[in-house]
């Protein structure tokens, strides 16, 4: 068995993955705004504690870590949503954990898992997008992730869709993830409804389902769908995939958002090659996709 870690922009998930790709045990911790002042120690202390607990009672062969941003040679070169740069995470963890450790971009890991076990397994030309704290991207062709050389690439979240738009953590303005991420959607909804940061995603989902005709809620949803359509249409125009898979916390809101997204993409003249239907599917491995994929590196 292996340990998979999904280090997201707002949470850390750690799971034991068996040889069939099932997560048989999992623990999670939220990353709060206050944690970012000491983010490396928060990450390392939680991971080391949980991994050592797992190793005591399970036979583990290696560890995989899925991380948002650019990774190379065991380092996090840049992760803007975690505020990490040139972070030698593998070296630091191996000083405390005596197991082989591999790292890769989180969306790439999730796409690998969905391609093998999940929603993308029957396709050969796929784009996968994670909508969460930021926006991640991956392209898989004939069961192989697109080779982008030294860096993982496919940073769909940092396409500029609004000139001189909102300031992004990456330093640019108007990036797709400032408008199309689930963080942007939730933040806008909280702001419109006068709710604070402690209002969790599930609470927001419950509010929407109880009051979908609320003009404030409809306004936020419509603006979000429009921004999401702009970014995804660019990706479709470039890659013309058989299927687009969407993962991240979007999947919990998919019954509210997915059909609206498809309808908007087909109605608006954003697609270079117009079509009568569009194949967008939600990830079926949920937040386990990054954990599973990290053990398949």
């Amino acid at each position: 068995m292996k340990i998979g870690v999904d280090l997201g922009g707002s949470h850390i998930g750690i799971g034991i993955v068996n040889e069939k790709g099932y997560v048989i045990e999992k623990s999670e911790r939220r990353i709060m705004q206050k944690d970012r002042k000491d983010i490396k120690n928060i990450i390392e202390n939680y991971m080391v504690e949980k991994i050592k607990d797992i190793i005591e009672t399970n036979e583990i062969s290696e560890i995989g870590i899925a991380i948002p941003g650019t990774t190379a040679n065991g380092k996090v070169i840049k992760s803007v949503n975690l505020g990490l740069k040139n972070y030698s995470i593998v070296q630091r963890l191996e000083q405390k954990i005596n197991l082989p450790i591999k790292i890769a971009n989180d969306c790439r890991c999730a796409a690998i898992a969905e391609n093998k076990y999940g929603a993308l397994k029957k396709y050969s030309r796929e784009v996968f997008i994670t909508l969460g704290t930021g926006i991640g991207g991956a392209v898989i062709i004939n069961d192989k992730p697109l080779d982008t050389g030294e860096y993982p690439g496919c940073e769909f979240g940092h396409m500029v869709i609004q000139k001189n738009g909102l300031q992004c953590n990456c330093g640019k303005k108007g990036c797709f993830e400032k408008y199309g991420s689930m963080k942007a959607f939730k933040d806008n909804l909280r702001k419109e409804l006068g709710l604070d940061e402690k209002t969790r995603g599930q609470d927001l989902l419950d509010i929407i389902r109880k009051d979908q005709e609320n003009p404030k809620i409809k306004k936020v949803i419509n603006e979000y769908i429009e921004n999401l359509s702009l970014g995804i249409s660019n990706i479709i125009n470039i890659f013309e995939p058989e299927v687009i898979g969407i993962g991240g916390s979007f999947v919990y809101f998919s019954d509210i958002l997915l059909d609206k997204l498809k309808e908007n993409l087909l109605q608006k003249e954003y697609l270079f090659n117009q079509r009568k239907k569009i194949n967008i599917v939600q990830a079926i491995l949920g937040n386990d996709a990054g954990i599973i994929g990290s053990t398949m590196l």
Side-chain angles (χ1 to χ4, degrees):
M1 294 188 293
K2 299 179 182 181
I3 293 174
V5 180
D6 182 19
L7 179 54
S10 58
H11 84 289
I12 308 171
I14 300 177
I16 303 172
V17 182
N18 67 16
E19 64 279 359
K20 295 182 180 180
Y22 291 109
V23 176
I24 59 174
E25 183 181 313
K26 185 171 73 169
S27 62
E28 291 184 298
R29 181 198 194 283
R30 287 188 75 191
I31 297 175
M32 306 299 290
Q33 193 62 39
K34 64 181 180 180
D35 296 330
R36 297 179 187 277
K37 296 176 182 178
D38 192 27
I39 190 67
K40 291 181 182 178
N41 283 328
I42 293 289
I43 290 169
E44 291 172 24
N45 291 342
Y46 181 74
M47 288 175 59
V48 169
E49 177 189 350
K50 292 300 178 182
I51 289 170
K52 283 185 174 180
D53 286 346
I54 292 170
I55 291 170
E56 283 183 6
T57 54
N58 296 274
E59 189 172 333
I60 302 297
S61 60
E62 66 179 26
I63 299 165
I65 305 175
I67 298 176
T70 302
T71 66
N73 302 316
K75 291 184 179 181
V76 180
I77 305 302
K78 180 168 62 176
S79 178
V80 297
N81 288 322
L82 283 170
L84 299 172
K85 192 173 183 181
N86 296 321
Y87 174 34
S88 300
I89 185 171
V90 170
Q91 182 182 18
R92 291 176 63 146
L93 289 173
E94 284 182 339
Q95 293 172 358
K96 301 174 183 178
I97 300 169
N98 188 27
L99 280 172
I101 301 172
K102 298 177 182 178
I103 64 171
N105 173 268
D106 60 343
C107 188
R108 188 182 183 94
C109 291
I112 290 169
E114 289 289 344
N115 177 71
K116 175 72 174 178
Y117 299 112
L120 306 180
K121 63 184 179 181
K122 66 180 182 180
Y123 301 99
S124 60
R125 196 176 68 257
E126 312 142 23
V127 163
F128 190 72
I129 304 168
T130 50
L131 302 176
T133 303
I135 294 179
V139 177
I140 294 185
I141 299 173
N142 296 327
D143 296 330
K144 294 181 180 179
L146 181 66
D147 184 358
T148 56
E150 182 181 0
Y151 299 117
C154 298
E155 289 289 352
F156 300 151
H158 297 287
M159 297 184 296
V160 174
I161 66 165
Q162 184 70 254
K163 183 180 179 181
N164 296 322
L166 297 172
Q167 182 72 49
C168 183
N169 291 333
C170 75
K172 299 191 300 178
K173 291 184 177 181
C175 288
F176 181 28
E177 71 174 41
K178 294 300 294 182
Y179 301 87
S181 66
M182 286 303 291
K183 182 181 189 307
F185 174 68
K186 293 174 187 176
D187 284 350
N188 289 336
L189 193 56
R190 290 187 190 102
K191 183 178 178 180
E192 193 69 31
L193 297 177
L195 304 170
D196 63 25
E197 182 196 358
K198 294 179 182 178
T199 308
R200 302 183 64 148
Q202 183 61 52
D203 298 326
L204 293 174
L205 186 56
D206 292 340
I207 290 168
I208 293 172
R209 286 180 173 154
K210 289 177 183 176
D211 197 12
Q212 289 196 47
E213 295 306 310
N214 184 320
K216 292 182 177 181
I217 292 175
K218 291 176 77 172
K219 175 189 172 187
V220 173
I221 289 175
N222 290 339
E223 288 178 353
Y224 178 70
I225 291 298
E226 181 68 7
N227 288 324
L228 195 54
S229 297
L230 284 170
I232 289 179
S233 65
N234 288 332
I235 297 166
I236 293 172
N237 290 338
I238 293 167
F239 293 103
E240 288 293 350
E242 284 181 271
V243 63
I244 294 174
I246 299 182
S249 58
F250 178 93
V251 299
Y252 301 115
F253 292 76
S254 63
D255 62 310
I256 293 163
L257 300 174
L258 186 54
D259 285 344
K260 288 182 173 65
L261 173 62
K262 292 179 183 179
E263 184 180 347
N264 201 57
L265 279 166
L266 292 173
Q267 285 182 350
K268 300 293 176 66
E269 295 182 358
Y270 295 147
L271 298 177
F272 182 79
N273 294 309
Q274 289 294 324
R275 60 208 77 196
K276 292 184 178 179
K277 66 178 183 177
I278 190 164
N279 193 13
I280 303 177
V281 299
Q282 70 179 57
I284 62 175
L285 300 177
N287 280 340
D288 289 345
I291 291 173
I292 296 166
S294 72
T295 67
M296 299 169 65
L297 300 172

